[in-house]
Amino acid sequence: MRTTQPTVDLRTSLASVQLANPVLTASGCAAAGKELGQFFDVADLGGIVTKSIMMRPRSGRATPRMAETPSGMLNSIGLQGPGIDSFIANDLKWLKDNGARTVVSIAGHNTDEFVNLAKRLYNQPIDLLEVNISCPNVESRGQVFACDPLAASRVISAVRRAANPNVPIFAKLTPDVTDIAAIARSVADAGADGISLINTLLGMVIDLDTLRPALGGITGGLSGPAIRPVAVRCVWQVHQAVPHLPLLGMGGIKTGRDALEFILAGACAVSVGTAVFHDPTAPMRIIGELRDELALRGFASLTDAVGFAHKSAAEQDGYFAGLARADAAAIAGER
């Protein structure tokens, strides 16, 4: 049995935000971190991504709001939340008091609401702002700004002008589009410092006992292992389209092997969401598993693995040959 951890540097960054490790929570699955605080020290994670907050308290959509699927779940919570004032006074203060890296997710009915949220958070202790322009659980699909490059660009541009310039903003995109690379380019041109990929996919379940839709909101967002290949594909395509932008990848991550797929596709860090519903310690477990997976494949650091699957076979061989030469030189120097 191994008694020491493999030596892999897990440090990474999302724009200007330095993280001790690349595992964060996903928005909507652990509220603002308090629920997970009873299982581990939230300061040990790469960061906490809070549930998307809106200006006013919101009760969300009609019940029932969750349904199991063969490899994940469907939810139609509908952005339920306490509103920005209560969030700042209670949740944000708790995160600061507990030393967590904090990514605040914001959502709005229109561009003005996004702007007002950014202004409200201007002087608050946050590390990064995630702009949720892709939630599928809204009554009007017209609110899914990320389905249209122009609408997505307008929101991100307005938020960038209103937000604290020292706080990076990430646009959260939906896979429910024809060309996600085009949406990524539009938000990059509008001033996004990075991109979060992906939000849930729009789905539906029919209750065969009632012969009616299982969810009160009819449709919902599909998450869990079923969507992981879609999410990895989106990270791959967006990394190719805007390779200079850091990506936060998510979608059905349950293990370190799952997380590694996202890293190799181009993500600088990952978020763990649905997995916490049956294993609240999953984010912490995945940090160790990811370290093992990287060590097993000979990587010296996490950053070396980011986008590694995009490299040619010759480039990959060159990386490992370089590490071998460095190791040989180090051994020779010790003699």
Side-chain angles (χ1 to χ4, degrees), residues 3 16 21 36 46 73 75 82 88 99 129 162 192 208-210 213-214 229 323:
T3 57
S16 60
N21 67 71
L36 297 183
M73 72 175 193
N75 88 83
I88 290 173
L129 200 58
L208 297 184
D209 292 324
T210 65
L323 287 182

Side-chain angles (χ1 to χ4, degrees), residues 88-158:
I88 290 173
N90 300 301
D91 300 308
L92 199 53
K93 181 179 185 306
W94 184 89
L95 288 164
K96 182 177 185 298
D97 290 346
N98 284 274
R101 284 280 190 188
T102 304
V103 179
V104 176
S105 176
I106 60 173
H109 292 289
N110 50 50
T111 302
D112 286 344
E113 185 168 1
F114 279 103
V115 167
N116 288 333
L117 285 162
K119 290 179 177 176
R120 194 73 182 80
L121 291 164
Y122 193 98
N123 291 317
Q124 297 300 324
I126 67 176
D127 295 289
L128 194 149
L129 200 58
E130 185 177 82
V131 186
N132 181 4
I133 54 176
S134 55
C135 179
N137 299 318
V138 289
E139 294 176 4
S140 169
R141 290 292 292 167
Q143 285 182 247
V144 184
F145 303 94
C147 288
D148 176 70
L150 183 58
S153 172
R154 283 174 177 160
V155 172
I156 296 303
S157 177

Side-chain angles (χ1 to χ4, degrees), residues 175-266:
D176 288 334
V177 294
T178 303
D179 184 0
I180 197 168
I183 308 292
R185 292 190 192 94
S186 73
V187 297
D189 292 343
D193 300 291
I195 298 175
S196 299
L197 298 159
I198 58 174
N199 213 318
T200 53
L201 287 86
L202 190 64
M204 185 176 181
V205 168
I206 300 291
D207 186 327
L208 297 184
D209 292 324
T210 65
L211 308 183
R212 297 279 302 159
L215 297 176
I218 310 298
T219 61
L222 179 64
S223 62
I227 73 169
R228 193 171 64 249
V230 177
V232 172
R233 180 267 295 176
C234 290
V235 170
W236 172 278
Q237 289 180 325
V238 171
H239 182 74
Q240 280 191 319
V242 285
H244 63 288
L245 279 193
L247 307 181
L248 176 58
M250 68 209 74
I253 295 173
K254 292 178 64 179
T255 68
R257 286 178 66 91
D258 300 339
L260 180 57
E261 272 197 82
F262 283 81
I263 299 299
L264 296 173

